[in-house]
Amino acid sequence: MTIVKDINLSVERAKPVSLVGPSGSGKTTLLAIMAGLDLPTYGSVKLLGSNITDMNEDQRAQIRSMDVGFVFQSFHLMPKLSALDNVMLPLEIAGDIDAMEKSKLALDQVGLSHRVRNLATQLSGGEKQRVAIARAIVNKPKILFADEPTGNLDNKSSAAVADLLFSINELIQTTLILVTHDLSLAEKCRDVYELSDGMLL
């Protein structure tokens, strides 16, 4: 079964772009291929100048850990860890001796310096997504992939998270690739790409 086909897409560095389209149109699959989480059956993908379709999984994982951040609709936080520990976790796994300092800075950047010791279960949905964003930007990634980042939030929290993503895009000059059903959010991006039945319109 072909999910996406005949896609030719280039994204300019440090710019926010969005992928829109109905459910099942291939948005999430395209994002996963762009990020090297999945591989296309044919064609090639260049991520930060490297042809990741010629790399093995360990090589792709190394690029992702160094230069790529991810934010998902589901927050993927460890419920029994604090906000700070959730952000620190991938850095500690990587052996980063500055994990705590970097994580506190990232939480401050998303407006949660007052919640660093709170467990994930003690946070609101909007706060959980802010922790997830802090974890995604803690290494100042060159590319931030966000898959329906406001999908589980109420209108007020959605607006706050959206504003945060665009401010981070400017603050650390990261390229933002945003998958969303929200056209008003998508249209805040420099470029909007619409998918239908796996093809760019």
Side-chain angles (χ1 to χ4, degrees), residues 87 91 100-113 130-131 133-140 164 168:
V87 178
L91 297 182
M100 180 174 289
E101 182 180 339
K102 288 180 178 179
S103 298
K104 285 181 176 179
L105 175 60
L107 283 165
D108 183 53
Q109 288 175 324
V110 301
L112 284 182
S113 56
R130 286 172 176 264
V131 173
I133 292 171
R135 183 182 56 198
I137 67 168
V138 70
N139 263 345
K140 295 183 172 59
L164 177 60
I168 287 169

Side-chain angles (χ1 to χ4, degrees), residues 7-72:
I7 302 272
N8 187 1
L9 176 62
S10 179
V11 177
E12 191 175 341
R13 180 179 172 84
K15 303 300 180 187
V17 303
S18 60
L19 303 174
V20 300
S23 294
S25 61
K27 302 185 301 296
T28 295
T29 298
L30 178 57
L31 181 143
I33 290 172
M34 293 170 72
L37 296 171
D38 291 332
L39 290 177
T41 51
Y42 64 90
S44 63
V45 180
K46 280 192 174 182
L47 181 64
L48 301 170
S50 298
N51 187 343
I52 58 174
T53 40
D54 289 341
M55 296 180 176
N56 61 38
E57 175 52 32
D58 287 343
Q59 291 170 322
R60 292 194 299 274
Q62 184 174 14
I63 287 182
R64 290 194 299 268
S65 67
M66 292 173 54
D67 294 318
V68 179
F70 295 94
V71 180
F72 300 100

Side-chain angles (χ1 to χ4, degrees), residues 6 10 17 88 103 117 128-129 136-137 156 159 166-167 197:
D6 299 328
S10 179
V17 303
M88 287 177 59
S103 298
R117 298 298 177 190
K128 288 177 182 176
Q129 192 61 296
I137 67 168
K156 182 177 179 181
F166 289 114
S167 67
D197 294 326

